[in-house]
Amino acid sequence: MADRIWPGTRGLAQAHLDAGQKVWLVTAAPVETATIIARRLGLTGALGTVAESVDGVYTGRLVGEPLHGPAKAEAVRALAAAEGLDLGRCAAYSDSHNDIPMLSLVGHPYAINPDTKLRRHAREREWRLRDYRTGRKAAKVGIPAAAGLGALAGGTAAAVALHRRRH
């Protein structure tokens, strides 16, 4: 999956890392998959859905809820508390309206390649909007294509939460 992320995404994440900020991948995908992707991209870490394992064997049950919607926001809130992060100084990126609870937690929400509901919500709240899909797709959804920054990959990469390190 790391190879399938939008071309500018690596640059966006790297720019935050180069600025001394932590970058977390936060996704509904299994935490094991998220961790591999985050490691390959050089990110700080990953949060994902946790599956129960007994003696190294998956049981088919989840530990808690899938990391989706409000559960994702709660996981980000818990991460911020554990890491001593000020969410007002953090940014989050998403392409899905399901992440509105998470985006609403941070001081710098970005709707990247947004679905229709997220685009509408972001416009109403004057959040930053970017679309990095191909020109044809961007024109189809009514947002001009842009270059230079990146977006989270559809599917497993739902959002990235980040913050400035305290000096």
Side-chain angles (χ1 to χ4, degrees):
M1 285 300 301
D3 294 334
R4 301 184 78 191
I5 293 177
W6 292 92
T9 302
R10 291 174 194 242
L12 175 62
Q14 192 60 51
H16 286 294
L17 291 167
D18 290 347
Q21 301 167 342
K22 293 182 179 182
V23 180
W24 291 80
L25 174 62
V26 182
T27 177
V31 68
E32 295 86 354
T33 303
T35 300
I36 291 168
I37 293 168
R39 190 177 315 125
R40 288 186 182 170
L41 293 174
L43 305 181
T44 306
L47 299 176
T49 299
V50 179
E52 182 183 66
S53 175
V54 175
D55 298 323
V57 177
Y58 289 110
T59 65
R61 292 185 293 271
L62 296 180
V63 176
E65 297 179 50
L67 208 60
H68 184 265
K72 188 181 286 188
E74 286 304 314
V76 167
R77 189 177 280 117
L79 173 67
E83 295 283 321
L85 307 178
D86 175 359
L87 287 172
R89 296 180 60 196
C90 292
Y93 301 81
S94 181
D95 62 356
S96 173
H97 70 280
N98 294 313
D99 290 331
I100 289 172
M102 177 190 68
L103 291 167
S104 297
L105 288 177
V106 301
H108 305 281
Y110 293 80
I112 307 293
N113 296 351
D115 62 26
T116 302
K117 289 180 182 178
L118 177 57
R119 187 178 329 107
R120 182 174 37 251
H121 189 88
R123 283 183 177 153
E124 289 169 359
R125 281 152 187 80
E126 298 181 359
W127 290 352
R128 292 185 181 156
L129 281 158
R130 299 289 184 269
D131 201 306
Y132 299 108
R133 294 173 281 205
T134 64
R136 181 175 170 219
K137 177 64 176 177
K140 185 176 179 182
V141 296
I143 299 173
L149 294 177
L152 297 176
T156 62
V160 176
L162 39 96
H163 85 287
R164 290 189 185 271
R165 279 190 212 167
R166 293 183 180 187
H167 297 285

